[in-house]
Amino acid sequence: MLIAKLSLVFVVLVGFLYGDAERFRLDHGESRKLVVEGRGLVGVRCRLDLPDGREGWGGHWLGLTLDGKPMPDVVNSSGFVVDLSRIPLHREALRDGDSGLWFVKADSDFVAFNASGGTRCYDLSGFLGGANSMNDLGDFRNSYYDKVFRLDKMVRVVELRNCHPRLSMVCEAFYGDEVSPGLLASQVPVGQGVYPWSFPELGWDGLISARTCIGEFQAIQVMIRNIGDSDVEFKPAVDVEGPFDILLRQQTYREVKEEKTPLERSRHDTWGIKPNLVPERLEAIADAILLERNRSCSLWLLCRVKSDAKAGRYRMQLRLTGDVSIPVEVEVLPFQLVDNGRIYGLWTNSLPGKDDDWRARQVRDLKEHGINTLFLDAYTVPVKVGEDGEPDLGRFSEALSWCEREGFNRKVLIYGLLNPLLRQVEAVSGSKDCSSEAWRRVARKVFVAIHELCESRGFKVYFHGVDEPDVHPKSMPFFESFVTALREFPGVRIGSNASPSGYFRFHSQIDFNICGDAFDSLINGTPQKNFFFKDWDAVDVDWMKKHIRYAYGQVRANDGLGARQRFGFLLDALGMEGYWGFSYHWGKSTMNVAWPYPESDGTTGTTQAWEALREGINDSRYYATLRKLKPDATLLLPSPAELNQMTAAELQGLRDRIIDQLTTDTKTNQ
């Protein structure tokens, strides 16, 4: 294997430094010549122009030449695209072997598969396949619209010709240079995935930058791409300058060969080009990174601003070798973020646990990521029931003391996964029937005692007897009898995580419901029917908007965009008061329903979605800070439907506009 060591005699800026883009339209049969002088890269972004909201496939309609000769191969993609709207999926070469023309997508914008104007086969936001981007929106524009070519810095003429017989073509051209031969870089917004086949975003200015507040955490993601002729080896490090603690991490991946989860089954090998990779840990970099040619890697700077920091801009370097570095600028803002008052919870089966050190590290990790509420269960916080039906609340009382010391939210304390406790009630009472007097006599002692203990300590406890009762039909009879029985116990509150239809049906009997499967109906404004209980009434959207204030979702460990959306601005736009996620350290590391993973040395690990979750919470906190410090500011959030379609870059742009208003006197919404 040929490996090139990075070595330059001076410090250089690694990057894809595009100048201002040229934007133009080509009518059918029209051409445009671009004189490229002294540049090492040219990028072309084109689409056949369709009316707003329309989308089609496209075809080979773009003529491209370099000095009158065929263009070289692209360096930003695999050389083909896949039509996800056809079954079976259809593969199309970027350059037609006979005509030499290049493929151009037909669309009304530069976002693939988002059509909304009557072309439903291209409205695949719920699918988005794995063909070109492995379920990652950030790579769609690169795969379907962009073509990037390496040049030799001589004076060259690139000619574009629209060969379509009828439609116009919308085009953009970008130019750039490889200031470190064969190596590109760009900053990538948190929430956008980076895979080995990802390509740096066009237009990056070469500076890694971030804005954050005193005492806060800020994740920064950087993509490094090798477009050279050989593999490259380097070991990155951060030359920290300023009031920061910074951890440098690298994104790792796991190749799925035996598909066990729905997430894994939704991914597939793409025509033998892209392996079935699932992003896993962000790991410390112990050895040099070997970056293969035509591959990318993702580096993460996990930055904490010290509490004694002063507002201002601070410069440092992300060093790839002693001679190659990228400048980093972190601006510490002149205000502090406020608490938005929202409940952020996680299910976990590992707390409080018996290991004091491990517990302390997990709690610190949870708090540092914005989680203020936990879910207690009867496995990790057991209650022993005596033969007389009296409960031993020693372990439960210890758990409350722990919650008090850690300052967790007291407004909502869910005590669920009650099977061990319920089995004891059945054994002592001699009955499994919640409607029997024997069962209720024992259950009353147990649940009233727990309720009164929590009340005396300032906690509002809700008993969660059945997980997702209306998506597990076999559990519904017990759920109904359990709820009916507990309603008769004085003061006892019932919690659930029923869907909107289940909450609607049992609304008068449930005191607190964390709605699953609520976002789609609320966002799209459509009534919801229960899939498993088809005879139940549909839930009207107005009722959902009025009553649903708490929701939960299984945001996956590798789904950074989903985590940032659902823990962030989307909750503000929907008027939600709390959001729970599943889950935290749930079982083994290969379960991608868990955010961080415990590392082999026992330290608390992290994933891209765990960092994106915190960014989402902070997105909302920036908005809350704007509303508090500048109540007359005119910036309004987009609609829930718009937010749900926004990319990580667009979410970051929205945060940046909020920061701009907080740091200036402007009151515009631009």
Side-chain angles (χ1 to χ4, degrees), residues 1-4 229-232 290:
M1 179 183 296
L2 180 62
I3 298 177
D229 297 325
S230 60
D231 299 342
V232 172
L290 177 64

Side-chain angles (χ1 to χ4, degrees), residues 131-364:
N132 283 85
S133 62
M134 296 298 284
N135 207 34
D136 177 28
L137 281 168
D139 196 40
F140 263 51
R141 187 167 62 183
N142 178 66
S143 297
Y144 286 92
Y145 306 96
D146 293 358
K147 301 165 184 64
V148 180
F149 306 92
R150 293 184 78 184
L151 304 179
D152 54 9
K153 295 193 175 183
M154 304 294 288
V155 178
R156 299 296 187 187
V157 177
V158 176
E159 183 174 6
L160 293 80
R161 179 179 295 275
N162 179 3
C163 298
H164 195 277
R166 180 173 52 87
L167 294 175
S168 296
M169 193 176 291
V170 177
C171 304
E172 298 180 5
F174 303 87
Y175 310 97
D177 294 297
E178 303 165 52
V179 290
S180 178
L183 206 62
L184 309 178
S186 71
Q187 184 171 348
V188 179
V190 176
Q192 178 178 319
V194 172
Y195 292 86
W197 48 82
S198 299
F199 199 79
E201 177 68 21
L202 308 185
W204 183 59
D205 63 3
L207 175 67
I208 300 170
S209 61
R211 294 190 286 182
T212 186
C213 296
I214 296 172
E216 299 295 339
F217 290 81
Q218 177 65 51
I220 303 170
Q221 182 179 196
V222 181
M223 185 196 312
I224 308 294
R225 174 77 173 187
N226 178 11
I227 63 168
D229 297 325
S230 60
D231 299 342
V232 172
E233 188 177 81
F234 63 96
K235 186 173 183 180
V238 180
D239 297 328
V240 180
E241 296 182 18
F244 309 105
D245 294 320
I246 297 180
L247 299 176
L248 182 60
R249 296 289 185 262
Q250 178 188 7
Q251 175 73 68
T252 63
Y253 308 88
R254 175 170 56 88
E255 184 172 359
V256 178
K257 296 182 178 179
E258 182 181 358
E259 299 173 341
K260 296 180 179 180
T261 70
L263 170 70
E264 293 167 347
R265 287 193 294 272
S266 73
R267 296 172 176 274
H268 52 272
D269 181 87
T270 309
W271 307 98
I273 300 297
K274 297 175 183 177
N276 190 353
L277 297 182
V278 174
E280 219 173 38
R281 298 171 178 85
L282 302 182
E283 291 187 344
I285 303 171
D287 302 312
I289 296 173
L290 177 64
L291 186 57
E292 298 178 3
R293 64 183 300 268
N294 295 327
R295 290 293 183 266
S296 298
C297 69
S298 170
L299 303 179
W300 287 72
L301 285 69
L302 306 180
C303 175
R304 183 183 71 86
V305 185
K306 296 179 180 179
S307 59
D308 59 352
K310 304 296 183 183
R313 288 185 172 89
Y314 298 85
R315 281 287 184 111
M316 61 195 83
Q317 298 288 329
L318 171 60
R319 181 165 36 83
L320 303 185
T321 72
D323 300 321
V324 181
S325 62
I326 308 173
V328 180
E329 181 179 276
V330 178
E331 181 181 1
V332 179
L333 298 167
F335 58 85
Q336 291 189 315
L337 291 182
V338 303
D339 185 340
N340 61 15
R342 185 170 289 121
I343 295 175
Y344 292 104
L346 283 184
W347 273 270
T348 175
N349 66 350
S350 59
L351 290 173
K354 298 180 180 180
D355 186 325
D356 292 342
D357 179 62
W358 180 228
R359 179 194 308 125
R361 281 186 278 122
Q362 287 193 73
V363 169
R364 181 172 62 250

